[in-house]
Amino acid sequence: MSVELDSKLIAALQSNGRATYRELAATVGAPRAAVSTRVQTLLDTGTVSVVAVAHPELLGLKAMAHVSVAVSGPVGPVAEALCASEAAVYISAVSGHYNIIAELRVPSQRDLYDAIATIRAEPGVRTVNTLFYAEVIKGIFMPKSALRADVRLDAKDVALIELLERNGRMPFLELAERTGLSPSAARNRVNHLIDSTALRVGAVVKRRGGGRTLAMGIGVNLGSRDREVCAQIEALPGIEFLARTLGRFDLIGTVAADSSGDLYSLAEHIRTIDGVMALETWTHLEVFKEHYARSLDVRG
């Protein structure tokens, strides 16, 4: 029961990291006391951390890509070296033909080329394959729309964002005390940042153990029914990330589940979808880095 409840809570926190215990209880259909206990356990054990991420446009990040790296020799030293790159927001050791995957977010395509060139030059790197994001369909820390034109931040907003980047569930009272705002003003500002797409708050999951902490990457080649297939895959349980890409795949994604059997069943289901021409999968073995925060300047 706890694994099933944890899975539901993780999914709910990925959707809304600042949901109250009452809201979470209503979402997962469990008593508030049980929800409070399980959420606190997930946080205390480090299985889940809830963080805020500013809209990429606020951070000046306009070019994004998924990079697969094949390594000669041990994977660890290469992964650790890549972690030092500010361009890489996510780095994971994976099974399959490639040994490491990374997500890069940079200001321009030239910066992206330079970041990939740096990866290629790293000792131990044998091959680098790049998928450019044409459109992000679903992502915990990826907005579904462009930044609203009327978004303007002041120093108080930036201070709130920086606090929430470290603890996305920080209470409004503590946010108020640490920024010099009243509790109601802190609440209004945070809600406005979220509603205006300037900020997303969600759960980062440590990929070990049970409770939707097993993850599989998928690379899909599509036929002519592009939109219909994307919609069907997006609707599947456990889809955390989905993007249209330019490169060896038309679509890539991340699927989370409670067990390897569930991941297998999901992969088999995707293969049966009309319009899926080919499917490649890889398992996330060890996440070395998942950090999306960047320094944020006040917009005038």
Side-chain angles (χ1 to χ4, degrees):
M1 171 62 183
S2 63
V3 171
E4 181 182 358
L5 178 57
D6 286 357
S7 293
K8 292 179 179 179
L9 288 171
I10 289 170
L13 288 169
Q14 286 174 330
S15 177
N16 178 8
R18 289 194 64 81
T20 66
Y21 290 131
R22 179 175 297 178
E23 291 169 338
L24 290 170
T27 298
V28 304
R32 183 186 181 282
V35 165
S36 174
T37 299
R38 291 309 305 165
V39 168
Q40 199 57 52
T41 298
L42 290 170
L43 294 172
D44 290 344
T45 59
T47 301
V48 168
S49 58
V50 177
V51 299
V53 176
H55 194 293
E57 291 180 32
L58 277 177
L59 302 173
L61 305 176
K62 299 178 181 180
M64 305 181 195
H66 176 283
V67 176
S68 301
V69 182
V71 173
S72 297
V75 170
V78 177
E80 291 174 9
L82 298 186
C83 286
S85 169
E86 186 181 34
V89 297
Y90 180 86
I91 297 172
S92 175
V94 296
S95 63
H97 178 70
Y98 295 95
N99 310 108
I100 300 170
I101 62 102
E103 181 178 300
L104 306 181
R105 299 185 181 186
V106 292
S108 69
Q109 289 190 4
R110 177 54 191 263
D111 294 314
L112 185 58
Y113 183 90
D114 291 343
I116 294 169
T118 299
I119 294 174
R120 288 200 307 267
E122 191 64 40
V125 170
R126 179 164 48 87
T127 307
V128 177
N129 188 285
T130 303
L131 293 164
F132 295 93
Y133 290 166
E135 178 189 4
V136 175
I137 300 168
K138 183 175 184 179
I140 298 165
F141 297 116
M142 290 296 293
K144 290 188 175 181
S145 61
L147 183 69
R148 274 179 26 185
D150 62 346
V151 172
R152 295 293 183 272
L153 305 184
D154 61 19
K156 295 292 187 183
D157 293 322
V158 173
L160 288 168
I161 290 173
E162 290 176 344
L163 290 169
L164 291 170
E165 284 175 340
R166 295 192 289 273
N167 177 7
R169 290 186 67 81
M170 186 176 290
F172 288 115
L173 182 59
E174 184 176 351
L175 289 170
E177 291 173 348
R178 297 181 66 170
T179 57
L181 295 166
S182 69
S184 61
R187 179 187 297 271
N188 290 338
R189 281 176 177 258
V190 170
N191 288 339
H192 175 70
L193 288 169
I194 294 172
D195 293 342
S196 67
T197 73
L199 194 69
R200 287 178 66 87
V201 183
V204 174
V205 184
K206 188 174 183 180
R207 297 301 184 190
R208 291 177 179 170
R212 202 175 178 176
T213 57
L214 300 178
M216 175 178 70
I218 59 171
V220 186
N221 294 109
L222 302 174
S224 60
R225 300 179 63 252
D226 182 294
R227 296 286 171 179
E228 295 91 338
V229 174
C230 289
Q232 289 184 58
I233 294 177
E234 182 185 4
L236 291 175
I239 296 291
E240 293 186 348
F241 177 81
L242 197 64
R244 289 187 177 85
T245 54
L246 303 175
R248 72 187 192 277
F249 298 125
D250 303 306
L251 196 67
I252 62 166
T254 303
V255 186
D258 298 337
S259 69
S260 57
D262 290 337
L263 291 176
Y264 170 75
S265 296
L266 281 165
E268 286 292 275
H269 180 77
I270 292 171
R271 287 189 174 95
T272 67
I273 295 175
D274 185 22
V276 170
M277 309 308 292
L279 174 70
E280 184 175 317
T281 65
W282 52 91
T283 303
H284 290 267
L285 304 173
E286 180 79 21
V287 175
F288 287 85
K289 179 180 181 180
E290 188 166 10
H291 183 72
Y292 303 91
R294 297 281 182 89
S295 59
L296 186 64
D297 294 327
V298 176
R299 286 161 60 103

